[in-house]
Amino acid sequence: MVIVGFLITLPLLAALLLLVVRNDRVRAPLVIGAGSLTMLGSLALAVLYLFSPGIYVKIPAPYSEIISYATVAVSCICCLYVLVKGARNSKPLAVFLAALQLVFVLILEFGAAHDVEVKNDLYIDQLSVIMALVIGIIGSGICIYAVGYMRDFQHHLEQHAATHHHARLDSGYQALEHHAKDRRHIFFALMFVFLSAMYMIVFSNNLTWLLCGWEVTTVCSFALIGYTRTREAIDNSFRQIVMNLIGGLGFVMALMLLSSHDIKILELDRLIAFGSLNGGIGLVGLPVLLLSLAGFTKAAQMPFQSWLLGAMVAPTPTSALLHSSTKVKAGVFILIKLAPVFAFNLNGLVVILVGGLTFFFCSALAISQSNAKRVLAYSTVANLGLIVACAGVGTPEAVWAAIFLLIFHAAAKSLLFCCVGTAEHHIASRDIEDMDAIFTRLPRLALLMALGMFCMFIAPFGMLISKWATIVTMVDTGNIPLLFLLAFGSALTFVFWAKWLGKVLAVAQGGSNTEHHIHKSEWFALGLMSLLAVGLAIGLPWVSEGVVVPYLSAVASGFSGDVSSWAEITISTYSLPGAIVGENSNLRAAIGFNDLLIMATIALALIIVFAIKFLRRPKEPTSSIYLGGVGIDSSKRSFINALSTTSVSTQRNWYMESLFGEKVMTSFANVLVIAVMVLGAIAIYVGFGGVL
Amino acid sequence: MTIISFAVALVGFVIFAPVLGCLLAGVDRIVSARLQGRVGPVLLQPYYDVRKLLAKENRSVNGYQEFYIVLSLAFAILSGVFFFAGGNFLLVLFVLTLSSLFFIIAAYSARSPYADAGAQREIIQIASYEPMTILLCVTFFMATNTFNVSEVFNRDLPLVATLPLVFAAFLFILTIKLRKSPFDLSYSHHAHQELVKGITTEMSGRTLALVEITHWYESILFMGWVALFFIWNTMLAIPVVIIAVLLIYFLEVFIDNTFARVKWQAMLFWSWTVTIICCLLNIIYLIVLGYLG
């Protein structure tokens, strides 16, 4: 258990140190050291607890009191920080929400929650160990990546400021030196605070402690998104804070309801046990709906997706961190935890529909984007939607799919973000069209980028296997609307990945390699994430058998003493051949072990074949491409046309904006999802009075 | 799917599928010619064409294209082997998608404007038929309670009786999969339809031969999907399947020769519309059947 304390406090201490150290030479070893220690700590945790059943721990009386007061203080400081920032930037809505949040937190802590006895404050189970590994390895990896990246970032910023100095001063704008000021110490400190808060979220059984971690991630991303202090960055950071405060309010209100006289539960495990025992309805109906609202906002589900899209203005490591291992993953984590409460009830249906619709619409929207980071953002939202939908289905098989989606998405998406970030510093653009011939200019980076994309959407790699499991579960549980959303959404997913992948792997005849400028720390992180993505794809059958399935059987057979009805619900409602049975030994994944093994073998074979092919020097082209005339230069696609003059052939990918554009789709989809939420809330509220 | 069924399917599919696929392509060309009032080539013409391509000097626009084409062929074969070994339908589908993706990458790798245009169209074709293929697996499971295609041999009635509308929608997208007009957007065997040579613009010699062979394997795999709807647990199924497959293939050739190519918007719209309506109605039909029996 000491190790949990270590994981929460180490990044905090590192953050404090980094705040003080402003010399980049000293900072680099510090970040690498702290990152490695966090990584090692997570690995040690895995060695100790990955294969053992969950344990629950009560912190002894005086200490737990102290920690509780500290968490309240931190929550309040978060609210106050937003209050002050909001007032300074004249953002009334943010100020209002932060004030409301502050009041609610105080009422909760010193009112109802004060009398509720909390048996176990912390816990470690296999899911939290998996989360800790994601945070520890990928999160720390991104921090290390940032060392090299931020050096280039600062360099570009200063250059930019120098060239535009006079123009900007004349227009009476905020002086650009202000933007270019070296604030990297704050950046790195925030990154590590983020990690600490995430550990807090995945280990807290005490819901008020969890709330504290929740608030800290919100405020950290607020500060990180606004890092560059441009108008756009500040606006986007406030959009983030407003949306997440709505979710945060939902969280606090849920806790207020839970701590009231009727329920008196402020522990995650007891909430899940109590909730699933009551079929997710009745007294827990409304609090669980409010908690899912908090999950939706954090996981950027429609209609809240715009904050994540706006978060791209931040330096790329921020995006990588937000998308892969922190923040949005906290949102889906809480929903996955609550899955047993969602099984076969109205609450679950709302969650399924929100996730499913988000998956479909965001996959479509991604087609219309040529900005690589926006494509990645929409893809993140879409995949989170899939995870959310799986959580909403709530059967053990669905949770299996959700957990693997989470793991693979974390690995592949962090790899992709880091690749795009590095590419941006070398081609001076994040537009997919400008990545033309990147395979010739930055060959190894292009290959890693391609690997990341393979991992995101195609068999035999992880995301597709998880999607496969999702399809199986949806058929098993008869979720026909979701099956349609899934079938059509998957086709759209194929479109935007395939055309980008094609662009990245296009070979220009001629052109030079400029790859030697990439920092070592960047290569290290990219290598780490690639290894993780590939290793997991190959090791999937064993991860499933050794970790995820035992976790699910443990959850199905009871929560720390309380007998769960999760297994009963799933069995009684659906007794299909693939359905999971309560007895530990009979619990299986949605996909047969042999089929998983086949996919793992194909993945291994593909990696070996690619490695052999791309490590060798390619054969030289023996023919030039066809251009509709007499070719002059294949790499420039110039040719002599029928009028004996020179033409250049250009070609862009299709973005089909008239069909999939944001103007066409976003408002419609938002309204649709809001309608689902509102109707669901009304129905559950009515059910709250005993009608359901 | 057992090791034995896999081994048998491996040997059988690798050897016989290209032979049958080649014959099918020969029949296709003769029937097409007759429909157009021509005599047409000999039955083995597709074979002679491929043999000639294989004998040509190997020229390529880069050192990677052939590699991707080989992968595309390998996964098309693997997918077929899984299918004829009676394996998991979704596994078959996903491996086949991998094959299609490598074909697209091969075209993109040339970085040629015409091949790129073909590749984009191929992507749209996949977007048009992919939902139907997934829903085909899904409805297959709803009807049989398993994803293993070998299950059809245990049934008392052919699948087409329980999934008639799914079969109809499948036929619709089969036209795309077989690269037949009006949905032969990315690449066609008819010269008059073509934008240079579509997705295969930059492929020649051995590489193009491999593309043709991949097409033979795929044709047989898709005919296997057709056969899936007509198999049940008697010997009578054998002649029924043979007649059904030949009729369906003739129907596809007929459609190929009667329609002009449509725009991608029309293809996407119609295949999605047909997929949604047919699958939804058929699922309702399945639910009703479930209540009745």
Side-chain angles (χ1 to χ4, degrees):
Chain A
M1 210 59 210
V2 180
I3 199 154
V4 170
F6 172 80
L7 284 174
I8 295 174
T9 46
L10 175 85
L12 271 185
L13 290 176
L16 278 177
L17 254 176
L18 286 164
L19 205 53
V20 183
V21 175
R22 300 201 176 195
N23 183 332
D24 199 42
R25 287 238 182 92
V26 187
R27 184 189 298 133
L30 208 62
V31 171
I32 292 170
S36 314
L37 273 180
T38 316
M39 223 179 266
L40 287 175
S42 301
L43 286 173
L45 180 88
V47 171
L48 289 173
Y49 296 105
L50 191 56
F51 301 104
S52 55
I55 55 164
Y56 289 79
V57 179
K58 167 83 189 158
I59 304 285
Y63 301 110
S64 71
E65 286 280 302
I66 294 169
I67 297 174
S68 285
Y69 281 117
T71 56
V72 178
V74 172
S75 295
C76 292
I77 292 169
C78 288
C79 295
L80 285 171
Y81 176 75
V82 178
L83 257 174
V84 172
K85 280 277 173 185
R88 222 185 263 166
N89 288 285
S90 47
K91 302 276 182 185
L93 190 56
V95 172
F96 170 70
L97 288 171
L100 206 59
Q101 176 91 342
L102 185 62
V103 174
F104 277 24
V105 167
L106 290 174
I107 294 175
L108 173 71
E109 299 291 344
F110 297 102
H114 208 70
D115 308 328
V116 180
E117 190 213 357
V118 173
K119 249 194 282 176
N120 296 313
D121 297 304
L122 295 173
Y123 71 100
I124 308 176
D125 64 9
Q126 278 143 326
L127 181 60
S128 55
V129 176
I130 290 174
M131 288 300 293
L133 284 172
V134 168
I135 301 159
I137 298 177
I138 297 173
S140 314
I142 294 166
C143 290
I144 292 171
Y145 169 86
V147 173
Y149 181 92
M150 289 310 285
R151 209 168 278 162
D152 285 348
F153 186 84
Q154 188 63 30
H155 180 69
H156 283 285
L157 215 58
E158 277 160 16
Q159 261 185 343
H160 188 71
T163 44
H164 295 271
H165 181 76
H166 296 290
R168 285 297 178 101
L169 276 185
D170 289 345
S171 64
Y173 233 71
Q174 235 174 342
L176 252 165
E177 279 97 279
H178 180 57
H179 298 305
K181 205 176 123 199
D182 189 357
R183 297 168 64 237
R184 279 179 287 171
H185 55 289
I186 298 175
F187 179 85
F188 281 99
L190 284 169
M191 296 277 277
F192 276 95
V193 173
F194 223 130
L195 297 187
S196 173
M198 280 303 291
Y199 282 125
M200 189 85 180
I201 290 173
V202 302
F203 291 123
S204 290
N205 192 44
N206 185 332
L207 283 169
T208 53
W209 296 14
L210 209 162
L211 174 68
C212 168
W214 194 266
E215 297 292 321
V216 173
T217 57
T218 300
V219 172
C220 267
S221 35
F222 170 68
L224 279 170
I225 295 168
Y227 173 75
T228 52
R229 294 206 215 165
T230 56
R231 195 70 256 163
E232 191 192 6
I234 289 170
D235 286 346
N236 289 353
S237 70
F238 274 99
R239 178 179 302 151
Q240 189 275 147
I241 204 77
V242 165
M243 289 188 170
N244 277 284
L245 278 177
I246 294 172
L249 278 172
F251 205 119
V252 181
M253 279 153 71
L255 295 196
M256 289 164 92
L257 284 171
L258 286 172
S259 59
S260 66
H261 288 293
D262 302 328
I263 313 177
K264 271 193 175 301
I265 290 178
L266 273 179
E267 282 163 279
L268 191 55
D269 63 332
R270 286 180 58 210
L271 167 65
I272 297 164
F274 181 76
S276 68
L277 211 58
N278 289 299
I281 50 168
L283 285 175
V284 288
L286 208 54
V288 167
L289 185 77
L290 288 167
L291 281 177
S292 12
L293 177 71
F296 295 154
T297 54
K298 195 129 283 205
Q301 295 300 286
M302 285 190 149
F304 304 111
Q305 79 280 22
S306 60
W307 79 255
L308 192 62
L309 290 158
M312 301 187 322
V313 295
T316 299
T318 308
S319 314
L321 202 64
L322 288 178
H323 285 254
S324 67
S325 54
T326 62
K327 186 78 176 170
V328 296
K329 290 288 150 58
V332 290
F333 170 75
I334 200 81
L335 292 172
I336 292 176
K337 286 300 275 191
L338 289 173
V341 188
F342 294 135
F344 308 110
N345 59 46
L346 198 56
N347 242 326
L349 189 66
V350 172
V351 177
I352 291 173
L353 285 177
V354 170
L357 290 169
T358 302
F359 172 69
F360 177 81
F361 284 111
C362 287
S363 298
L365 282 161
I367 295 176
S368 68
Q369 303 300 312
S370 73
N371 179 328
K373 280 179 100 177
R374 279 185 89 83
V375 174
L376 291 181
Y378 272 123
S379 142
T380 298
V381 180
N383 282 302
L384 293 171
L386 213 50
I387 302 177
V388 167
C390 284
V393 171
T395 62
E397 293 155 307
V399 177
W400 186 97
I403 292 174
F404 274 104
L405 282 168
L406 187 152
I407 298 173
F408 284 110
H409 181 258
K413 209 29 101 39
S414 55
L415 174 61
L416 277 170
F417 262 110
C418 293
C419 282
V420 168
T422 301
E424 188 183 350
H425 279 167
H426 289 78
I427 62 177
S429 166
R430 48 172 76 160
D431 194 292
I432 289 174
E433 293 304 319
D434 294 325
M435 290 186 190
D436 183 35
I438 193 174
F439 187 74
T440 317
R441 288 184 279 169
L442 307 162
R444 279 183 294 171
L445 190 72
L447 268 180
L448 291 185
M449 209 189 271
L451 174 71
M453 290 187 219
F454 268 105
C455 291
M456 282 302 300
F457 83 109
I458 198 86
F461 297 101
M463 288 304 278
L464 202 276
I465 307 287
S466 320
K467 212 179 267 177
W468 177 357
T470 312
I471 295 175
V472 176
T473 3
M474 300 309 158
V475 188
D476 265 351
T477 52
N479 262 307
I480 292 159
L482 195 63
L483 275 168
F484 275 81
L485 290 172
L486 198 60
F488 287 92
S490 295
L492 298 172
T493 312
F494 186 91
V495 175
F496 71 83
W497 285 122
K499 65 191 172 114
W500 184 5
L501 182 61
K503 203 84 180 175
V504 167
L505 289 178
V507 187
Q509 296 187 354
S512 58
N513 182 336
T514 56
E515 204 163 43
H516 45 274
H517 299 301
I518 297 177
H519 291 286
K520 279 212 180 64
S521 61
E522 292 180 43
W523 278 128
F524 167 79
L526 292 173
L528 180 75
M529 287 151 197
S530 316
L531 270 181
L532 212 58
V534 169
L536 281 169
I538 297 167
L540 191 149
W542 296 278
V543 177
S544 162
E545 289 294 296
V547 183
V548 179
V549 171
Y551 164 74
L552 293 172
S553 24
V555 177
S557 59
F559 306 85
S560 64
D562 294 317
V563 178
S564 148
S565 61
W566 192 26
E568 281 166 36
I569 295 168
T570 47
I571 297 162
S572 60
T573 318
Y574 279 96
S575 46
L576 289 167
I580 287 174
V581 184
E583 289 292 308
N584 295 2
S585 53
N586 293 338
L587 205 141
R588 277 172 291 133
I591 308 172
F593 189 75
N594 283 345
D595 286 336
L596 289 180
L597 217 52
I598 290 173
M599 280 302 185
T601 315
I602 296 176
L604 182 65
L606 209 53
I607 293 297
I608 292 172
V609 169
F610 262 77
I612 293 171
K613 174 70 185 173
F614 287 94
L615 285 176
R616 279 195 317 200
R617 274 186 68 81
K619 276 180 266 172
E620 288 301 313
T622 45
S623 155
S624 53
I625 58 172
Y626 177 77
L627 291 164
V630 181
I632 301 173
D633 185 345
S634 283
S635 70
K636 294 197 182 86
R637 295 185 188 137
S638 54
F639 63 100
I640 297 170
N641 59 26
L643 301 170
S644 294
T645 53
T646 306
S647 286
V648 176
S649 176
T650 56
Q651 201 277 328
R652 275 174 60 84
N653 267 346
W654 293 5
Y655 293 97
M656 300 171 266
E657 272 157 11
S658 59
L659 220 55
F660 303 114
E662 286 174 332
K663 282 190 190 122
V664 186
M665 218 163 248
T666 304
S667 357
F668 171 71
N670 282 346
V671 169
L672 198 62
V673 179
I674 292 172
V676 167
M677 285 183 189
V678 171
L679 287 177
I682 292 170
I684 289 163
Y685 186 74
V686 173
F688 196 54
V691 178
L692 246 183
Chain B
M1 188 170 64
T2 60
I3 304 258
I4 296 168
S5 70
F6 180 80
V8 171
L10 181 69
V11 176
F13 189 71
V14 169
I15 296 171
F16 294 112
V19 175
L20 290 174
C22 176
L23 290 174
L24 215 52
V27 171
D28 183 341
R29 291 182 64 170
I30 293 172
V31 173
S32 290
R34 297 292 150 84
L35 286 171
Q36 295 162 7
R38 294 184 285 118
V39 178
V42 293
L43 181 65
L44 287 180
Q45 191 60 44
Y47 166 70
Y48 297 134
D49 290 348
V50 165
R51 204 175 64 179
K52 186 177 168 193
L53 283 172
L54 284 169
K56 284 200 170 186
E57 184 197 355
N58 200 21
R59 292 174 71 85
S60 59
V61 289
N62 63 52
Y64 297 101
Q65 194 169 53
E66 191 178 4
F67 170 71
Y68 294 130
I69 290 294
V70 170
L71 284 178
S72 170
L73 172 61
F75 285 112
I77 294 176
L78 193 61
S79 169
V81 172
F82 286 145
F83 178 80
F84 287 101
N88 189 307
F89 209 163
L90 282 166
L91 179 71
V92 173
L93 184 61
F94 293 140
V95 175
L96 191 65
T97 310
L98 187 58
S99 163
S100 319
L101 179 70
F102 279 119
F103 187 40
I104 291 168
I105 295 176
Y108 261 113
S109 79
R111 205 171 157 271
S112 134
Y114 296 97
D116 272 15
Q120 314 262 3
R121 291 174 168 200
E122 179 77 10
I123 291 174
I124 297 295
Q125 286 187 193
I126 291 178
S128 304
Y129 68 64
E130 185 90 342
M132 183 55 221
T133 51
I134 293 177
L135 290 171
L136 174 62
C137 294
V138 165
T139 47
F140 179 87
F141 181 93
M142 288 175 170
T144 62
N145 238 350
T146 173
F147 283 107
N148 291 335
V149 289
S150 56
E151 175 63 20
V152 288
F153 292 106
N154 304 328
R155 293 186 65 77
D156 297 328
L157 269 178
L159 258 187
V160 73
T162 35
L163 298 175
L165 289 168
V166 168
F167 182 67
F170 167 67
L171 283 188
F172 193 90
I173 61 112
L174 185 65
T175 315
I176 311 177
K177 283 215 146 226
L178 288 173
R179 307 186 177 288
K180 299 290 186 207
S181 194
F183 303 133
D184 53 349
L185 274 77
S186 76
Y187 134 77
S188 168
H189 280 100
H190 301 296
H192 68 272
Q193 298 265 52
E194 210 43 277
L195 177 75
V196 188
K197 194 68 187 86
I199 192 168
T200 59
T201 301
E202 301 297 344
M203 298 171 197
S204 63
R206 201 165 66 194
T207 313
L208 194 56
L210 291 175
V211 172
E212 282 301 310
I213 294 171
T214 311
H215 189 63
W216 294 346
Y217 274 107
E218 281 184 334
S219 303
I220 295 303
L221 175 57
F222 299 145
M223 288 305 116
W225 291 17
V226 172
L228 205 61
F229 284 91
F230 294 96
I231 295 172
W232 74 106
N233 59 6
T234 60
M235 293 309 259
L236 189 64
I238 298 172
V240 170
V241 164
I242 293 172
I243 293 168
V245 165
L246 289 177
L247 274 178
I248 297 297
Y249 199 79
F250 176 77
L251 178 70
E252 290 295 339
V253 174
F254 183 76
I255 292 170
D256 191 26
N257 282 287
T258 26
F259 287 92
R261 190 184 267 186
V262 295
K263 285 185 178 173
W264 66 264
Q265 289 92 337
M267 175 180 67
L268 190 63
F269 174 78
W270 282 110
S271 42
W272 278 33
T273 309
V274 169
T275 302
I276 292 175
I277 293 173
C278 288
C279 289
L280 209 56
L281 288 178
N282 210 142
I283 287 172
I284 294 171
Y285 173 63
L286 276 179
I287 294 171
V288 172
L289 272 188
Y291 275 117
L292 293 177

